[in-house]
C-alpha cells in the first residue's frame, strides 16, 4: 500500500474529505476504542487537516493541526491522530506524524508542539522527539499523558 499525504485548512476541504475524516475518526475512536464522546468539538473549523489516502481514494491516516491557543494556551498541537486498522503495521503512523509535524511548522512556524497521547503510545511519540510533560490522566476512560516536542 502507498499513501499520498495532503494538508488543508477546514475551509478548503471537499465534502468527501470531511466525510472521510469523520468516518475514520468515529470508526476508530468511537467504535474500535469504545468511547462515547463528542468528536465534533468545534475545533475542526479552525484546524488544518492532514490526510493519507491510498491510490483507490480510501482514507487510511489522518491528523488535525491546531495553532497555539486553541487546544493549549501556550502550544500548537497535533490531535485526532488516527490510522485505519487496515494500514497498521506498515509504518504509516510514523510517516503521518512526520508529515504532520512538518506541516505544522510550515503553517504555524517552528515552535513547541504539545499532544495528549494515549499512554501506550509513549515510546512511539518519544521516538519522534516528544517527552512526557505532566501527570497522566484519563480521557474518555483511556489513560493519556501530556507530551511536548520542543
Amino acid at each position: 500500500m502507498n499513501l499520498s499525504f495532503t494538508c488543508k485548512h477546514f475551509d478548503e476541504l471537499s465534502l468527501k474529505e470531511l466525510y472521510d475524516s469523520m468516518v475514520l475518526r468515529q470508526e476508530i475512536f468511537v467504535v474500535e476504542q469504545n468511547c462515547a464522546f463528542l468528536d465534533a468539538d468545534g475545533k475542526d473549523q479552525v484546524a488544518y487537516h492532514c490526510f493519507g489516502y491510498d491510490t483507490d481514494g480510501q482514507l487510511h491516516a489522518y491528523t488535525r493541526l491546531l495553532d497555539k491557543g486553541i487546544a493549549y494556551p501556550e502550544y500548537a498541537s497535533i490531535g485526532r491522530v488516527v490510522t485505519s486498522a487496515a494500514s497498521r503495521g506498515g509504518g504509516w503512523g510514523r510517516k503521518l506524524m512526520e508529515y504532520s509535524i512538518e506541516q505544522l511548522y510550515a503553517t504555524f512556524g517552528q515552535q513547541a508542539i504539545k499532544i495528549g497521547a494515549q499512554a501506550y503510545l509513549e515510546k512511539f511519540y518519544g521516538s519522534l522527539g516528544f517527552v512526557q510533560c505532566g501527570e497522566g490522566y484519563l480521557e474518555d476512560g483511556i489513560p493519556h499523558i501530556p507530551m511536548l516536542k520542543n
Side-chain angles (χ1 to χ4, degrees), residues 2 25 29 37 46-47 68 71 76 80 86 89 94 102 112 136 141 143-144:
N2 193 23
R25 285 163 46 169
F29 299 136
F37 75 107
V46 296
K68 183 184 340 188
R80 299 295 198 264
R94 173 168 302 285
E102 176 185 297
H144 282 70

Side-chain angles (χ1 to χ4, degrees), residues 52-67:
Y53 279 97
D54 69 15
T55 55
D56 293 328
Q58 181 71 33
L59 181 63
H60 286 273
Y62 169 87
T63 61
R64 177 174 79 176
L65 311 180
L66 299 171
D67 199 2

Side-chain angles (χ1 to χ4, degrees), residues 122 125-126 129-134 146-150:
E122 179 179 10
Y125 288 115
F130 289 87
V131 295
Q132 186 170 347
C133 63
M147 298 187 82
L148 190 64
K149 177 179 176 67
N150 283 312

Side-chain angles (χ1 to χ4, degrees), residues 23-72:
V23 168
L24 183 59
R25 285 163 46 169
Q26 290 174 35
E27 192 175 88
I28 303 306
F29 299 136
V30 178
V31 177
E32 182 182 296
Q33 296 180 352
N34 196 28
C35 290
F37 75 107
L38 184 59
D39 181 45
D41 60 2
K43 295 177 182 155
D44 287 314
Q45 298 92 320
V46 296
Y48 282 78
H49 302 264
C50 298
F51 300 91
Y53 279 97
D54 69 15
T55 55
D56 293 328
Q58 181 71 33
L59 181 63
H60 286 273
Y62 169 87
T63 61
R64 177 174 79 176
L65 311 180
L66 299 171
D67 199 2
K68 183 184 340 188
I70 298 170
Y72 303 102

Side-chain angles (χ1 to χ4, degrees), residues 94-135:
R94 173 168 302 285
K95 289 178 178 141
L96 170 66
M97 280 301 296
E98 290 169 348
Y99 178 80
S100 297
I101 291 165
E102 176 185 297
Q103 290 301 305
L104 186 142
Y105 291 158
T107 304
F108 303 127
Q110 187 94 15
Q111 61 183 296
I113 303 169
K114 188 171 183 179
I115 61 173
Q118 290 186 5
Y120 82 97
L121 291 168
E122 179 179 10
K123 191 177 208 177
F124 168 72
Y125 288 115
S127 73
L128 292 163
F130 289 87
V131 295
Q132 186 170 347
C133 63
E135 296 297 316

Side-chain angles (χ1 to χ4, degrees), residues 7-15 17 45 47-49 51:
C7 187
K8 297 180 178 181
H9 186 268
F10 181 84
D11 293 334
E12 301 171 305
L13 299 181
S14 70
L15 289 176
E17 289 165 331
Q45 298 92 320
Y48 282 78
H49 302 264
F51 300 91

